Amino acid sequence: MTSAQVGTDKAPQGAEEGYERGLGSRQVQMIAIGGAIGVGLFLKAGANIAKAGPSLILMYALAGVIIFFIMRALGELLLYRPVSGSFAEYSREFLGPFFGYFTGWTYWLMWVVTGMAELTAAAIYINYWFPQIPQWVTALVFLVILFGVNLISVKLFGELEFWFSMVKVTALIGMIVIGLGVLTFGFSQAGDTAAVSNLWAYDGFFPKGIGSSLMTLQGVMFAYLAVELVGVTAGESENPEKTLPKAINTLPWRIALFYVGALTVILCVVKWTEFAPGVSPFVAAFAKIGIPAGAAIVNFVVLTAALSSCNSGMYSTGRMLRNLSESGEAPGRFKKLSSTKTPAFGITVSVLFMGIGVVLNYVVPDKAFEYVTSVATAAGIWTWLMILVSHVLYRRAVDAGRLPASSFPAPGGAKCSYVAIAFLLFVTGLIAYDSESRICLYVMAGWAVALGIGWAVLKSRNPAIADREPQPEKVA
């Protein structure tokens, strides 16, 4: 019997029961790759370059190392016990029922607000080609199409996500190759000024100071949101013991190529002083190089990134609501699967909340997208912290002989998890320090109060819900 099988006995029965294991290796791989490439890179990097200059490359590399620590911690837990809705389930097992409840609902919130933002963004991108179509109409059409995809089957979701990711990956590789061509052969309008020395020739590698560079970490972490989506796919992967480790172990080269590599090439081709907030650095680079269709190509790529994120949000919210329902922390109706083995009711409710984004297209002010993404970042940091703390407690239980070892242990044991926890707390401090982004902490405080009230109501109706002890303390 494998460690994963042993661990499964401890799960609430039915947590992943009934799902179709319809995600193949290539789909899980592409979901993992797509999760590491999003609007945070294609759009927000422009504002971050203006704040940090070339040192932004180092910030992405630093955050990328931490993300790898988080994913290896998650990987160890997943191979100990692969379940759909993993973050909430591990929090429930190792920290107690309340933390599972809080993490599940917070991860749901993260994807709902992200879905709102991405629908709005997608509508804006369509306006580039069809300015006569009202934004709310485009947002509604995309919402309905993606909703239908998620209801039909997990295989269709996986296939759509595969092609969304393929577009992003192909485009980024193309941009890197073109940039390297400009640097090496000097062709295009940017050929005369493109040089590796652009990384330090204009006021140095840290032109705005190290402090300003560190302040971009909150935006950088937003760019990495959704890499943990691989964990949600665990209950529907055909062979999680093989596909999940492979997906996680390829994360370093994906980060090195698509984030660090792409930004390095772009900042060599175009000096950092020519980038501005609100403009995609990739669009600006293509304009400088002189490719006529460059802006339209990047606009299409960013559109697929937004739709990919919204598609993933619908997928994960339905699974998280079902996990919460299985544990008695959400209405029982969320438990049921449709005839296509999808949590249709949970997806439907989540989509209705995402639909608020369609309405907001009438009234959203300029700062709305930033506020919504900052809330998503705060919710994501909480999720990552719960993964790391759960991993630390799991390793303690393994070392004490209370739980079986995972077949995919994280390098360095719990030490890297401690480093990642300290880093995430540091980033939270940066968010609190920034007057523009700290609003998300107020929102999260209100969210915590609402969840606390909800927990009190749940306990009053079903006192047994809080009786389950955290797993590591269960066996002395």
Side-chain angles (χ1 to χ4, degrees), residues 265-284:
V265 169
I266 280 180
L267 289 170
C268 288
V269 171
V270 182
K271 57 185 180 182
W272 74 269
T273 53
E274 295 189 25
F275 295 106
V279 178
S280 168
F282 296 94
V283 172

Side-chain angles (χ1 to χ4, degrees), residues 443-464:
V443 172
M444 291 305 295
W447 176 249
V449 169
L451 287 182
I453 294 172
W455 183 250
V457 172
L458 282 174
K459 282 202 302 182
S460 67
R461 293 179 177 177
N462 180 19

Side-chain angles (χ1 to χ4, degrees), residues 224-237:
Y224 285 123
L225 285 183
V227 293
E228 75 291 327
L229 185 64
V230 174
V232 182
T233 69
E236 292 168 278
S237 300

